[in-house]
């Protein structure tokens, strides 16, 4: 049921560290556009040890939580149910709190990746390459399982990471080829390149961008553009940013928490871009 505009409701993003999060900007912009004047959205620095007590202390006014690292897996034992999407990668980034006290977990990162690519005209790809093998890479693989019809090459730095990605590939039923990070320049020739690495990790690859690049999805958004994204754009390639992902996953969170659909993507984008410009 859609949330009444007059009810006082709360939501927040949890993580550690959390001060950098743009989620409050995006969700508050959505509430304003939807006329939910009595809804608030905050941020709380919560680590894994403090999470159980925080969740148990939530009152009936709470509508939902957004979760970032390191809480996406730690929250699962505290929930009453988890969606198939979240279970597929053992990661919950969205908790909806129902009136009867139930806590339901979902992962909006995966459909958020798909939606961000679709907005840029990418609905299917024959092959793809993923740079990195961290937590975001597993969500990227899950998203690619929905749109990639062929092989996904994943470029990793260690044997341990390689084993992890093989495990995710088998679980998600994705045709994955593991490649060494030393050969990461090869990834840039794929029709879709998804960079899931921390800031600075792909800077050295910028000089290897081909003359006619295709599509780069770089999950970072601050600082932006990354060296790789800047060179990619300069050569005429299409670039999907981490802000695109953040927006589309937040749209789905707003819809789930408030019961209002569609969430105001344009207003949220304007707010997010303004906040980044002020940093």
């Amino acid at each position: 049921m859609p949330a009444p505009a007059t009810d006082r409701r709360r939501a927040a993003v949890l993580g550690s560290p959390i001060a950098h999060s743009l989620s409050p900007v995006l969700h508050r912009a959505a509430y304003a556009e939807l006329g939910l004047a009595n809804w608030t959205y905050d941020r709380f620095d919560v680590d894994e040890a403090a999470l159980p007590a925080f969740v148990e202390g939530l009152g009936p006014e709470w509508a939902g939580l957004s979760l970032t690292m390191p809480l996406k897996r730690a929250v699962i034992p505290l929930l009453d149910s988890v969606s198939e999407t979240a279970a597929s990668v053992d990661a919950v980034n969205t908790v909806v709190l129902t009136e009867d006290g139930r806590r339901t977990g979902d992962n909006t990162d995966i459909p958020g990746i798909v939606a961000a690519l679709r907005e840029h005209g990418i609905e299917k790809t024959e092959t793809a390459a993923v740079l990195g093998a961290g937590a975001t890479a597993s969500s990227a693989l899950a998203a690619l399982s929905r749109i990639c019809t062929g092989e996904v090459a994943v470029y990793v730095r260690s044997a341990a990471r390689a084993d992890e990605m093989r495990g995710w590939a088998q679980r998600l039923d994705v045709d994955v080829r593991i490649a060494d990070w030393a050969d990461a320049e090869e990834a840039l020739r794929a029709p879709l390149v998804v960079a899931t690495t921390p800031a600075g990790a792909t800077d050295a690859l910028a000089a290897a961008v081909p003359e006619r690049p295709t599509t780069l999805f770089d999950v970072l958004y601050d600082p932006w553009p990354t060296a790789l994204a800047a060179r990619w754009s300069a050569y005429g390639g299409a670039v999907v940013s981490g802000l695109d992902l953040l927006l589309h996953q937040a749209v789905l969170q707003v819809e789930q928490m408030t019961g209002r659909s569609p969430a105001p993507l344009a207003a949220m984008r304007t707010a997010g871009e303004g906040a980044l410009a002020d940093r």
Side-chain angles (χ1 to χ4, degrees):
M1 291 289 292
T6 55
D7 283 2
R8 179 178 181 269
R9 303 304 303 275
R10 298 186 67 184
V13 60
L14 314 181
S16 186
I18 200 64
H20 67 287
S21 176
L22 273 183
S23 291
V25 172
L26 303 183
H27 284 252
R28 290 169 187 168
Y31 298 165
E33 191 74 10
L34 293 170
L36 300 175
N38 291 331
W39 280 62
T40 59
Y41 189 101
D42 302 298
R43 63 166 68 91
F44 293 93
D45 196 301
V46 177
D47 61 16
E48 292 170 279
L51 182 62
F54 186 96
V55 172
E56 290 298 330
L58 298 177
E61 75 278 12
W62 282 86
L65 301 171
S66 306
L67 300 166
T68 185
M69 299 305 292
L71 306 179
K72 292 184 180 183
R73 185 167 295 172
V75 76
I76 293 176
L78 308 177
L79 304 177
D80 296 299
S81 62
V82 174
S83 70
E84 290 184 10
T85 300
S88 72
V89 290
D90 284 341
V92 166
N93 78 326
T94 306
V95 175
V96 176
L97 305 166
T98 60
E99 291 183 2
D100 62 2
R102 288 182 61 80
R103 307 165 188 154
T104 63
D106 194 15
N107 186 307
T108 63
D109 286 331
I110 295 168
I113 292 171
V114 175
L117 287 168
R118 184 185 302 119
E119 186 181 32
H120 288 262
I122 308 298
E123 297 195 11
K124 290 290 181 183
T125 183
E126 292 185 0
T127 60
V130 174
L131 297 172
T136 306
S138 61
S139 291
L141 269 189
L144 289 171
S145 73
R146 303 182 180 190
I147 67 169
C148 185
T149 59
E151 180 185 81
V152 178
V154 181
Y155 291 80
V156 303
R157 294 183 183 276
S158 70
R161 290 294 195 183
D163 289 341
E164 286 181 16
M165 294 310 291
R166 288 189 187 96
W168 286 118
Q170 184 174 11
R171 182 169 178 173
L172 296 165
D173 194 24
V174 181
D175 179 13
V176 161
R177 175 175 61 86
I178 303 298
D180 192 276
W181 185 263
D183 300 319
E185 292 184 4
E186 297 175 356
L188 308 185
R189 295 192 290 271
L192 172 61
V193 181
V194 185
T196 70
T197 50
T202 62
D203 287 359
L205 297 176
V209 172
E211 291 185 4
R212 295 182 179 179
T214 49
T215 300
L216 170 69
F217 193 160
D218 195 323
V219 303
L220 297 174
Y221 63 84
D222 186 18
W224 186 262
T226 63
L228 181 61
R231 178 65 66 92
W232 202 276
S233 293
Y235 279 24
V239 175
V240 185
S241 75
L243 180 59
D244 293 312
L245 168 57
L246 190 66
L247 281 165
H248 281 282
Q249 66 82 28
V251 160
L252 296 170
Q253 289 184 335
V254 168
E255 291 174 353
Q256 290 189 30
M257 293 178 191
T258 68
R260 302 292 185 92
S261 183
L265 174 62
M268 295 167 72
R269 187 187 302 277
T270 298
E273 290 175 344
L276 283 178
D278 290 339
R279 289 188 175 182

